[in-house]
Amino acid sequence: MRESTVDRAMAAAQTINALSRVFGEMQAQKLVYYAQAWSLVWDGRPLFSNRIEAWQMGPVVPSLRHALHVIQQAPPAGVFTASEEATLDAVTGYYGAMGGSALGELTHREGPWREVWGDRPRDAQCSDPIPLDAMRRFYTRMALRGEGPRRPMTPTVEASDGAIERIAADTSRRWAKTLAILGS
């Protein structure tokens, strides 16, 4: 399936719901937020491109707002890599038993939402984005302290000698110009 035709945040929410039934939009929002955060930590890239905003009740993906009926549908096949699916599974396993309110309280204690929310009153409105880099830094520090979900093991595929030689040759070609500049 082509990424441009799939709302990956919605597919993540649907996958999470298929793994462990989601009870309410707030729980779905926070689980998708955590999936994005841990994907940034473990895979070094976002799971989806949808914006996450710091709302009064915690992080929210606006495109998922009022979409619980869609979230509860079966996820589309072939959207995520094995590594991304393992991340969704690990996040769901770790946070999935918590309800929406508990997850909201948890995100309120964590740096990314707090930094964006700042000193606004509790009843204020906000739609400022939570920067991906702030999420990556905060949750990486958690992981280094041994906190949070554990990075899932993903299956590896053995490559043939020819494939390894092609990868090495391609890498050498890509780095040749850079190495020449550095050498001069």
Side-chain angles (χ1 to χ4, degrees):
M1 199 170 279
R2 290 184 15 229
E3 185 175 335
S4 62
T5 63
V6 174
D7 181 335
R8 287 176 54 93
M10 180 61 72
Q14 291 169 324
T15 301
I16 288 166
N17 184 63
L19 291 167
S20 174
R21 178 137 166 64
V22 171
F23 294 101
E25 183 184 325
M26 188 163 173
Q27 183 188 33
Q29 288 279 0
K30 303 315 174 252
L31 291 173
V32 168
Y33 165 78
Y34 282 119
Q36 179 80 309
W38 290 103
S39 178
L40 292 164
V41 173
W42 294 332
D43 297 326
R45 63 183 179 275
L47 186 62
F48 52 85
S49 61
N50 307 57
R51 178 177 159 131
I52 298 175
E53 298 177 355
W55 286 19
Q56 183 182 70
M57 299 302 288
V60 169
V61 177
S63 63
L64 299 181
R65 187 74 173 108
H66 302 298
L68 189 59
H69 64 288
V70 180
I71 290 169
Q72 293 175 336
Q73 295 174 7
V79 174
F80 300 112
T81 66
S83 178
E84 291 168 335
E85 287 178 2
T87 294
L88 289 164
D89 188 49
V91 166
T92 303
Y94 187 81
Y95 295 103
M98 297 176 73
S101 294
L103 289 167
E105 290 173 21
L106 182 60
T107 62
H108 281 188
R109 293 191 303 265
E110 296 174 339
W113 180 86
R114 278 194 353 243
E115 289 170 16
V116 175
W117 190 260
D119 59 358
R120 289 178 175 89
R122 198 70 173 133
D123 61 347
Q125 299 295 313
C126 177
S127 61
D128 295 347
I130 298 176
L132 295 179
D133 197 49
M135 294 168 62
R136 182 194 50 77
R137 281 192 318 270
F138 181 84
Y139 294 102
T140 296
R141 285 192 299 269
M142 275 184 66
L144 292 172
R145 292 190 307 263
E147 300 171 359
R150 299 290 176 249
R151 182 180 184 142
M153 296 297 295
T154 53
T156 57
V157 177
E158 284 195 36
S160 68
D161 289 343
I164 292 170
E165 289 170 3
R166 281 190 301 280
I167 292 168
D170 289 344
T171 302
S172 292
R173 278 191 294 279
R174 282 197 313 270
W175 281 95
K177 185 176 180 181
T178 303
L179 292 173
I181 292 169
L182 291 172
S184 59

